Structures are given as structure tokens and as C-alpha cells.
Amino acid sequence: MVAGCTQLPQQPAKPPAPVPETARYQAMAFDALPGWNRAALEPSLRTFLNGCPRITGAALSRACALGLSVPKGNEAAARQFFESAFTPYALVSSDGPDSGMVTGYYEPIIDGSRWYNAINRYPIFGVPDDLITVDLASISPETRNLRLRGRVEGRRLVPYPTRAEIDSRGPSYPAPVIAWTADPVALFFLQVQGSGQVRLDGGERIRVGYADQNGHPYRSLGRYLVDRGEMPLEQASMQGIQAWAAANPAKLQEALNANPSYVFFRELPVSEDGPVGALGTPLVAGHSIAVDRRWIPLGAPVYLSTTFPLSEERLERLMAAQDVGGAIRGVVRADFFWGTGPDAGAAAGRMRQQGKMWLLWPRGESPPRAD
């Protein structure tokens, strides 16, 4: 040290900024896809074609036109269509792995009422008038699937209230109420699933579908409970969380607030079809998946190789990417739609395992986001 000078403490170096995840698309032969030669493809073709009216991309639209000529019920013709019209691309994350998490979701049926009463005290909200959504698609290619949400204070757009702030006001929150329910945990999972049915007092049912969200990131309730020692990881299923909530009512609201994301709904008619996904068409149980649309265009066929929940039995199936979800983030990430009601919920709540995915993209076309 030089006499008369004071040595300043060294500032710690800033950690490098995380490198954004990107996708690699590796062209494969169909024979390289595990279980492809045994897969039943005719039901997958019908699911793909169901989504075609809402597909906007030129490449997939041309494939849709070809698929419409395949006779219904003809498995050999369905296989010929996929193998001649598409090239399979293995999805690989720049973070390294070619496998990722596969979870399940479903359409719950919960009890409720059109009217507030001493039992049904928890509101199922429609979209508040003060929620502002800003689509960033026109800003740059990197933001084409991003949206900002907030509310206006003076001349500023500020973040929209969190779950804790909304729930603290309860029925007095300034948003339209579609129905009321007695179970805050059922309402929470209704929001996590993104759609559901409400069984009203007289037996009538209404369907509610995702309409918008408050703009805050999704945080896993199961992960929150595991991190705080409330349950072991192997019990962090939907069923395990419901059991914990019943045994710990005093801790419940704090745990729910750990997920600041809040979903608002719209009322839809009940039909024999599944709930409407982000593509805008009804989901098909066992053949529709939710994906990260940054890497997989909605409507595209995606071959999935994983296992059934809590089993070693292989689940290898051609799916259609017809939905998205706040927790579905990543190149190799899927949410498997199981259907409607408690049996579907039992399977969905236990599904959390690794899987691999292949995007089927029209032959001769460049993959949508190739590096």
C-alpha cells in the first residue's frame, strides 16, 4: 500500500447475465422415434385436423389441406400422410438436455353457486375493467409472444395487483363475478388448470375458460411447500397439496399467496367437446398438449415419449400442440391434457416425469426457430 493512500475494498464481480435458452432442431428419421412404428396415428390425425381452422402459418396450413383428404378411420393412410408430409425434428435445449419435464392437466368440475352465501364465499372472477394488456408482437421478433399486463395510474402503466392483493379484498374486488365456490383450494387449482366446469346448486353446469391473467409469474405451490419442509417432494402432487391444505387451514392463505399469478375467466357453454385451448379449438383428451409457443408453433404435431404417471409403462404418442400455460416454459416441456373430471384429475395430479419431444414440421420447410 502506498503511504498516505487508502485502499478501497474490491467490489465483487457481477455475475454474468444468464444466457437466454434457445432451441436446436435436429432432423431425424421416423424409425428413430421410440415406439413410432407401434403408434396409432389416425386419432392423432383427427386431433391435428381439429385445430387446422385456427392455424395461421402457411407451412402448417398447407399440411392441413393435404390431411383433409385422408379417409376417416384409415390408419394406414394416416401413417402415410404423416411420414410423407412431415420431417421429425428432435427438440434440444441450448441448456444441454434433450429431455424435459412432462406434467399433466385436466378440466376440473367444482361445486358452486351463482350467488354469494355463507358457504360459497370465494369469487370466480371475470376480467376486471382496469386490466390493461399490451401485446408486444409488433415491437420485435424476440417479443412476438410476450404481453405486458398492468393498470393505469395517472399516465403510467403499473403492475397489476398480485394474488395476495386480490384475495385480501375478496368479494369487494372490482371485477365481475361469474360464480362463487366454497373451496379456495379448488378455486386455486381451477386457475392452475386454466379452465373448468362449475356445478351449480340446481345441478346445472357452466364452463369457465381462461380469459386473462394479472401479469405476474406462476410460482409452484408444491415447490413452496417442499422448500419450507411442509411435505417431501414425492408427496407434492395435487392430491398431496389438497391433503396438506385440509390439515393446515391456518397456513393456507400464505401458501396460496406464494403464487402471485391470478387467472380471470370467461363463461362458456358446456358441450361434449373438451375445453378450448390457446389455439382456439377444443382440447382432445390424451392427444392435446400445452407447450412453450416460443419454440413450438400452436397447431403443430409433436411426438412425445415419456411414461404413464407413477409407472414404467411407456407413453409414446403423436400429440397436437394446442395449448399453453404459465408454468410451461422451456424447449423440452409439455403438459399432457387428460380430460374432464376426477379420474382425469387423478392422472394429471400424479404426472411429473421426464420425456423427449420431436416437432413434426412440413417436409421441405425450415424449422420455425432453427439456430
Side-chain angles (χ1 to χ4, degrees), residues 33-39 79 303 316:
L33 277 56
W36 173 261
N37 293 327
R38 300 185 303 273
R79 179 171 294 275
Y303 192 70
E316 294 161 338

PDB file of all heavy atoms in Angstrom, residues 33-39 79 303 316:
ATOM      1  N   LEU A  33     -37.707 -42.606 -33.873  1.00  0.00           N
ATOM      2  CA  LEU A  33     -38.601 -42.185 -32.798  1.00  0.00           C
ATOM      3  C   LEU A  33     -39.071 -43.413 -32.021  1.00  0.00           C
ATOM      4  O   LEU A  33     -39.639 -44.343 -32.618  1.00  0.00           O
ATOM      5  CB  LEU A  33     -39.813 -41.434 -33.361  1.00  0.00           C
ATOM      6  CG  LEU A  33     -39.649 -39.945 -33.674  1.00  0.00           C
ATOM      7  CD1 LEU A  33     -38.500 -39.672 -34.622  1.00  0.00           C
ATOM      8  CD2 LEU A  33     -40.956 -39.370 -34.201  1.00  0.00           C
ATOM      9  N   PRO A  34     -38.838 -43.465 -30.716  1.00  0.00           N
ATOM     10  CA  PRO A  34     -39.200 -44.660 -29.954  1.00  0.00           C
ATOM     11  C   PRO A  34     -40.704 -44.929 -30.006  1.00  0.00           C
ATOM     12  O   PRO A  34     -41.513 -44.041 -29.714  1.00  0.00           O
ATOM     13  CB  PRO A  34     -38.742 -44.338 -28.527  1.00  0.00           C
ATOM     14  CG  PRO A  34     -38.585 -42.849 -28.487  1.00  0.00           C
ATOM     15  CD  PRO A  34     -38.223 -42.423 -29.875  1.00  0.00           C
ATOM     16  N   GLY A  35     -41.063 -46.139 -30.414  1.00  0.00           N
ATOM     17  CA  GLY A  35     -42.459 -46.530 -30.454  1.00  0.00           C
ATOM     18  C   GLY A  35     -43.236 -46.026 -31.658  1.00  0.00           C
ATOM     19  O   GLY A  35     -44.439 -46.302 -31.770  1.00  0.00           O
ATOM     20  N   TRP A  36     -42.579 -45.313 -32.563  1.00  0.00           N
ATOM     21  CA  TRP A  36     -43.311 -44.744 -33.694  1.00  0.00           C
ATOM     22  C   TRP A  36     -44.022 -45.817 -34.522  1.00  0.00           C
ATOM     23  O   TRP A  36     -45.173 -45.650 -34.922  1.00  0.00           O
ATOM     24  CB  TRP A  36     -42.353 -43.936 -34.594  1.00  0.00           C
ATOM     25  CG  TRP A  36     -43.003 -43.454 -35.857  1.00  0.00           C
ATOM     26  CD1 TRP A  36     -42.933 -44.006 -37.100  1.00  0.00           C
ATOM     27  CD2 TRP A  36     -43.867 -42.307 -35.987  1.00  0.00           C
ATOM     28  NE1 TRP A  36     -43.682 -43.290 -37.992  1.00  0.00           N
ATOM     29  CE2 TRP A  36     -44.267 -42.233 -37.339  1.00  0.00           C
ATOM     30  CE3 TRP A  36     -44.330 -41.336 -35.103  1.00  0.00           C
ATOM     31  CZ2 TRP A  36     -45.112 -41.237 -37.819  1.00  0.00           C
ATOM     32  CZ3 TRP A  36     -45.179 -40.340 -35.575  1.00  0.00           C
ATOM     33  CH2 TRP A  36     -45.558 -40.303 -36.922  1.00  0.00           C
ATOM     34  N   ASN A  37     -43.348 -46.924 -34.775  1.00  0.00           N
ATOM     35  CA  ASN A  37     -43.926 -47.950 -35.636  1.00  0.00           C
ATOM     36  C   ASN A  37     -45.136 -48.640 -35.002  1.00  0.00           C
ATOM     37  O   ASN A  37     -45.910 -49.305 -35.696  1.00  0.00           O
ATOM     38  CB  ASN A  37     -42.863 -48.992 -36.008  1.00  0.00           C
ATOM     39  CG  ASN A  37     -41.788 -48.400 -36.902  1.00  0.00           C
ATOM     40  OD1 ASN A  37     -42.057 -47.514 -37.707  1.00  0.00           O
ATOM     41  ND2 ASN A  37     -40.554 -48.863 -36.752  1.00  0.00           N
ATOM     42  N   ARG A  38     -45.304 -48.481 -33.676  1.00  0.00           N
ATOM     43  CA  ARG A  38     -46.458 -49.086 -32.991  1.00  0.00           C
ATOM     44  C   ARG A  38     -47.554 -48.071 -32.708  1.00  0.00           C
ATOM     45  O   ARG A  38     -48.653 -48.445 -32.288  1.00  0.00           O
ATOM     46  CB  ARG A  38     -46.006 -49.692 -31.653  1.00  0.00           C
ATOM     47  CG  ARG A  38     -44.943 -50.776 -31.772  1.00  0.00           C
ATOM     48  CD  ARG A  38     -44.666 -51.394 -30.409  1.00  0.00           C
ATOM     49  NE  ARG A  38     -44.249 -50.405 -29.418  1.00  0.00           N
ATOM     50  CZ  ARG A  38     -42.992 -50.024 -29.240  1.00  0.00           C
ATOM     51  NH1 ARG A  38     -42.025 -50.546 -29.997  1.00  0.00           N
ATOM     52  NH2 ARG A  38     -42.681 -49.136 -28.318  1.00  0.00           N
ATOM     53  N   ALA A  39     -47.271 -46.793 -32.904  1.00  0.00           N
ATOM     54  CA  ALA A  39     -48.216 -45.751 -32.516  1.00  0.00           C
ATOM     55  C   ALA A  39     -49.454 -45.754 -33.399  1.00  0.00           C
ATOM     56  O   ALA A  39     -49.367 -45.958 -34.618  1.00  0.00           O
ATOM     57  CB  ALA A  39     -47.533 -44.383 -32.579  1.00  0.00           C
ATOM     58  N   ARG A  79     -50.864 -42.874 -41.380  1.00  0.00           N
ATOM     59  CA  ARG A  79     -49.406 -43.036 -41.266  1.00  0.00           C
ATOM     60  C   ARG A  79     -48.699 -42.530 -42.521  1.00  0.00           C
ATOM     61  O   ARG A  79     -47.678 -41.843 -42.446  1.00  0.00           O
ATOM     62  CB  ARG A  79     -49.074 -44.504 -41.001  1.00  0.00           C
ATOM     63  CG  ARG A  79     -47.576 -44.790 -40.886  1.00  0.00           C
ATOM     64  CD  ARG A  79     -47.332 -46.215 -40.414  1.00  0.00           C
ATOM     65  NE  ARG A  79     -47.812 -46.397 -39.044  1.00  0.00           N
ATOM     66  CZ  ARG A  79     -47.102 -46.103 -37.961  1.00  0.00           C
ATOM     67  NH1 ARG A  79     -45.869 -45.620 -38.086  1.00  0.00           N
ATOM     68  NH2 ARG A  79     -47.607 -46.295 -36.769  1.00  0.00           N
ATOM     69  N   TYR A 303     -44.401 -35.355 -31.388  1.00  0.00           N
ATOM     70  CA  TYR A 303     -44.316 -36.728 -30.893  1.00  0.00           C
ATOM     71  C   TYR A 303     -43.708 -36.704 -29.498  1.00  0.00           C
ATOM     72  O   TYR A 303     -42.670 -36.075 -29.264  1.00  0.00           O
ATOM     73  CB  TYR A 303     -43.474 -37.598 -31.824  1.00  0.00           C
ATOM     74  CG  TYR A 303     -43.586 -39.076 -31.512  1.00  0.00           C
ATOM     75  CD1 TYR A 303     -44.764 -39.761 -31.780  1.00  0.00           C
ATOM     76  CD2 TYR A 303     -42.532 -39.768 -30.943  1.00  0.00           C
ATOM     77  CE1 TYR A 303     -44.888 -41.112 -31.496  1.00  0.00           C
ATOM     78  CE2 TYR A 303     -42.637 -41.119 -30.657  1.00  0.00           C
ATOM     79  CZ  TYR A 303     -43.812 -41.787 -30.929  1.00  0.00           C
ATOM     80  OH  TYR A 303     -43.924 -43.122 -30.636  1.00  0.00           O
ATOM     81  N   GLU A 316     -45.992 -43.277 -25.545  1.00  0.00           N
ATOM     82  CA  GLU A 316     -45.379 -42.776 -26.781  1.00  0.00           C
ATOM     83  C   GLU A 316     -46.503 -42.497 -27.765  1.00  0.00           C
ATOM     84  O   GLU A 316     -47.181 -43.422 -28.229  1.00  0.00           O
ATOM     85  CB  GLU A 316     -44.380 -43.798 -27.314  1.00  0.00           C
ATOM     86  CG  GLU A 316     -43.193 -43.962 -26.365  1.00  0.00           C
ATOM     87  CD  GLU A 316     -42.407 -45.238 -26.566  1.00  0.00           C
ATOM     88  OE1 GLU A 316     -42.955 -46.227 -27.123  1.00  0.00           O
ATOM     89  OE2 GLU A 316     -41.234 -45.271 -26.151  1.00  0.00           O
TER      90      GLU A 316
END
